[in-house]
Amino acid sequence: MPRIADPRARIDLLRAAEAIFAENGLAAAKVEDITIRAGVSKGAFYLHFKSKQDCFRQIVEGVVARLAACVEAGRFDECAPPESIEALFESRIAHVVELLEFCWQNRGILGMILTGGGGTPYAYLVDAFAERIEQQSEMWLRRGVEVGLYRDDIEPAIVARLIAGTHERLVREIIKQPRRPDIEGWARQALDLLTRGLLSAASSAVVDRTVTKNRERDERPREPRSRAKAG
Amino acid sequence: MPRIADPRARIDLLRAAEAIFAENGLAAAKVEDITIRAGVSKGAFYLHFKSKQDCFRQIVEGVVARLAACVEAGRFDECAPPESIEALFESRIAHVVELLEFCWQNRGILGMILTGGGGTPYAYLVDAFAERIEQQSEMWLRRGVEVGLYRDDIEPAIVARLIAGTHERLVREIIKQPRRPDIEGWARQALDLLTRGLLSAASSAVVDRTVTKNRERDERPREPRSRAKAG
DNA sequence: CCCCATAGTGACCGACCGGTCAGTAATGCC
DNA sequence: GGCATTACTGACCGGTCGGTCACTATGGGG
C-alpha cells in the first residue's frame, strides 16, 4: 500500500492546534496558522480532521479525560481510611496539588476552555466538572460530619458549592500566572482556611498543632499564635 | 438646525446591542442583528458608534463604572467605625449583597465579560477589578489583625487573594443561575465560613452567638451547636 | 416654498477565512 | 518501468459580515 503517511503530521497538527487555540480561542484561530505552524498544507489538515471544530473537540476531550482521571483518583471511596486527621489533611493536600499541577501543565488550553474564549462551545464541560467536584465535596462533608470531624450545623450543599468554588478559583488563579506559582503553598492556605471554618472544636485543636508545625517547617520561623490556646 | 435626531435611536441601539452582545459575545454578534432589534438601519448604527468594538466598549465601560461605584462604597475608610463586631459583620454583608444584586441585574453582559466569550478584549478589566477587591480585602485584613479582630498568624496577601476569589466566585455562581437565587443567604454562608477561619479566639465567641442568633431568626429553629462551647 | 444641514437608509464593497478539489509526489506491487 | 493507491499541496471558491456612501427623508430658517 503506497505512500506512507508522515507519522508526525497528525501529532504536529495537534500540537500546533493546541498552541493556536490556546492563544486565540476557537473562533479566532485560523486553520492556516495551525498548518503553517505544523509545517503542512491546509489540505493535510482536512485529512486528519473533519473540520476546525472537530480538531478543537479532539483536543478538549483529551485534556478533559486526563483531568477527569485526576479528579477520580481522589474520590472518597478510593482512599484507604486515614490513620489520623493529619494524615487526612495531608492526603487531601496531595490530591489537590496533583490536580493543580496538571492544570498548570495544561494551562494554555485549559485557560481557553475556562474563559470560554472565542466562542468555545465547551463551557458546559466546565459546569459539568464543577458539579462533579461539588458532589464529591458534599460527600466528604457529610461523611466528615458523621464522624464528628466537622461541625454539624453546616449546610453541606451550600458549603460544598463554596469548596468547589474555591477549587475552581485556585485553578483560575494558577493558570493565569506567568510564572510557576507555589502551588502547594496556595493549596495549603486555601484548605487551611476552609478547614478552620468547618472543623468541630475537638478536631480543630489537633489541626491547629499540625498547621502551625508545617508553617514553622516551611517558612522562616515566626512567633506562633495558635487559636486553640485561647479557647 | 434641521432634522432632529430621534432621541430614542441611541438608547434603543445600546439596549439592543447589550442584549445581542450578552447573547453572542463580541465577535459573534452581528451589527445587523443589533440594528434589526433596535428597529433602525445599519447606517444609523455607524452614526452613533465608530465601530462594533466601540459600541461594545461603551457598554462595558458603563457597566464597569457602575460596578466600581458599588465597590468603592464599601471601602474601609468610607465607613464609620462600627459599634460592634455584629455591626461590622452586618455592614459587610449588606455591602456584598448590594454588589451581588447589581451583578444579578446586569448578569447578561457581565457574564459575557467574565467568561470572555467571543473574543472579548476586556478580560483585563476583570483582572483589574479582582486586583482592586484584593487590595481592599488586604487592607481590611491588616486592619482587622491590628485591632485584634483576626488571627495574627495569617498571610494577608494570600488570604486576601482567597477572599477576593470567593467574591468573584460568588458573582460567577450568581449570574449563572436561571432564577434569582437567595443572594443574602449565599453571601452570609460565604462570609460566615471565611470569617470563622480568620477570627481571633476572642472575636469568634461573639460572632458565634450572632451567627447562631441570625440562623435561628432566618430559618426554622434547629438545635444550636456553637463551636465556642467546647473550646 | 425653497434651501440646506443633518438624520437615516440599505445596496453594495471587499477583506477574510473555512473548506474543496484538481493536480502532484511518494510508495509498494507487478 | 508502469501502474495503482494513497498522502499531500495550495490555488481557488463561496459565504459571511464589518463598514461605506450615494441617496432619500425631515425639519428649521429666510
Side-chain angles (χ1 to χ4, degrees):
Chain A
M1 306 314 141
R3 186 76 194 264
I4 304 301
D6 184 346
R8 292 180 317 180
R10 185 191 172 78
I11 294 175
D12 286 349
L13 275 169
L14 277 172
R15 269 223 272 268
E18 184 166 333
I20 298 288
F21 283 139
E23 197 168 328
N24 305 100
L26 172 55
K30 294 178 233 175
V31 173
E32 209 161 349
D33 286 348
I34 295 174
T35 58
I36 287 173
R37 185 184 256 253
V40 299
S41 72
K42 210 170 169 184
F45 180 92
Y46 287 95
L47 288 177
H48 293 282
F49 308 104
K50 209 162 51 45
S51 64
K52 187 170 75 159
Q53 277 78 4
D54 177 54
C55 175
F56 189 75
R57 191 179 46 76
Q58 289 194 26
I59 290 173
V60 168
E61 283 178 354
V63 172
V64 168
R66 281 178 291 156
L67 190 59
C70 238
V71 172
E72 214 59 21
R75 283 182 46 178
F76 198 94
D77 45 8
E78 297 284 327
C79 306
E83 297 125 18
S84 63
I85 295 180
E86 290 98 325
L88 178 69
F89 195 76
E90 286 306 315
S91 105
R92 293 315 293 161
I93 287 278
H95 177 231
V96 170
V97 165
E98 186 189 356
L99 195 63
L100 294 179
E101 199 70 48
F102 176 86
C103 293
W104 170 256
Q105 301 291 346
N106 298 275
R107 62 192 176 283
I109 193 70
L110 265 182
M112 195 42 66
I113 301 173
L114 270 179
T115 63
T120 310
Y122 295 95
Y124 76 94
L125 279 176
V126 179
D127 292 350
F129 227 83
E131 188 99 10
R132 195 127 131 218
I133 301 259
E134 200 175 311
Q135 284 169 359
Q136 206 172 302
S137 299
E138 192 172 337
M139 201 160 63
W140 271 95
L141 280 173
R142 292 191 188 281
R143 218 33 196 275
V145 170
E146 274 174 27
V147 301
L149 181 64
Y150 297 142
R151 297 156 44 203
D152 64 356
D153 62 343
I154 60 174
E155 289 282 353
I158 298 185
V159 175
R161 177 178 293 140
L162 275 168
I163 293 177
T166 305
H167 282 76
E168 184 184 323
R169 227 290 148 158
L170 268 176
V171 172
R172 291 191 123 95
E173 270 305 329
I174 278 173
I175 64 181
K176 203 162 61 184
Q177 301 302 315
R179 306 239 170 275
R180 162 181 282 272
D182 172 17
I183 292 179
E184 185 173 340
W186 288 23
R188 277 191 191 278
Q189 188 91 34
L191 279 215
D192 178 24
L193 192 67
L194 278 177
T195 305
R196 279 175 184 275
L198 287 177
L199 290 180
S200 62
S203 312
S204 84
V206 177
V207 172
D208 257 350
R209 285 201 302 275
T210 305
V211 170
T212 305
K213 196 174 61 191
N214 284 338
R215 188 171 285 124
E216 281 166 354
R217 185 198 62 201
D218 292 343
E219 305 174 7
R220 61 175 165 68
R222 62 171 61 203
E223 186 178 85
R225 164 81 66 111
S226 158
R227 176 180 178 180
K229 74 177 184 185
Chain B
M1 283 82 218
R3 186 75 194 264
I4 305 302
D6 184 346
R8 292 180 316 179
R10 186 189 171 78
I11 295 175
D12 286 350
L13 274 169
L14 278 172
R15 271 224 272 269
E18 182 166 335
I20 298 290
F21 283 139
E23 198 168 328
N24 306 100
L26 172 56
K30 295 176 229 177
V31 172
E32 209 160 349
D33 286 349
I34 294 174
T35 59
I36 288 173
R37 186 187 256 252
V40 298
S41 72
K42 209 171 168 184
F45 180 91
Y46 286 94
L47 288 177
H48 294 281
F49 308 103
K50 211 163 50 47
S51 64
K52 188 171 76 161
Q53 277 79 0
D54 177 54
C55 175
F56 189 76
R57 191 179 46 77
Q58 288 194 26
I59 291 173
V60 169
E61 282 179 353
V63 172
V64 169
R66 283 179 287 155
L67 190 58
C70 238
V71 172
E72 214 60 18
R75 283 183 45 178
F76 198 95
D77 45 9
E78 297 282 328
C79 305
E83 297 125 21
S84 63
I85 296 179
E86 290 98 324
L88 178 70
F89 195 77
E90 285 306 314
S91 105
R92 293 315 295 162
I93 286 279
H95 177 231
V96 169
V97 166
E98 186 190 353
L99 195 65
L100 295 179
E101 198 71 49
F102 175 86
C103 292
W104 170 254
Q105 301 290 345
N106 299 85
R107 62 193 175 282
I109 193 69
L110 264 183
M112 196 41 68
I113 301 173
L114 270 179
T115 62
T120 309
Y122 293 96
Y124 76 93
L125 280 176
V126 179
D127 292 350
F129 226 83
E131 188 99 8
R132 197 127 132 216
I133 301 259
E134 200 174 311
Q135 284 169 359
Q136 206 173 302
S137 299
E138 192 172 338
M139 201 161 62
W140 271 96
L141 282 173
R142 291 191 188 282
R143 220 29 198 277
V145 170
E146 273 173 28
V147 302
L149 180 64
Y150 298 143
R151 297 156 43 203
D152 65 356
D153 61 343
I154 59 174
E155 289 283 354
I158 298 186
V159 176
R161 177 179 292 141
L162 274 169
I163 293 178
T166 305
H167 282 76
E168 183 185 325
R169 227 287 148 159
L170 267 177
V171 172
R172 290 192 125 96
E173 270 305 329
I174 278 173
I175 65 181
K176 202 163 62 182
Q177 300 303 314
R179 306 239 170 275
R180 163 183 280 273
D182 173 16
I183 293 179
E184 185 174 340
W186 288 23
R188 276 192 190 279
Q189 188 92 34
L191 280 217
D192 178 25
L193 191 67
L194 278 178
T195 305
R196 278 174 185 274
L198 286 176
L199 290 180
S200 63
S203 311
S204 85
V206 176
V207 172
D208 257 351
R209 286 201 302 276
T210 306
V211 171
T212 305
K213 199 173 61 190
N214 283 338
R215 190 172 281 126
E216 283 168 351
R217 187 197 62 202
D218 292 344
E219 307 176 4
R220 61 176 166 67
R222 64 171 58 202
E223 185 177 86
R225 164 82 65 114
S226 158
R227 177 182 181 182
K229 74 175 184 185

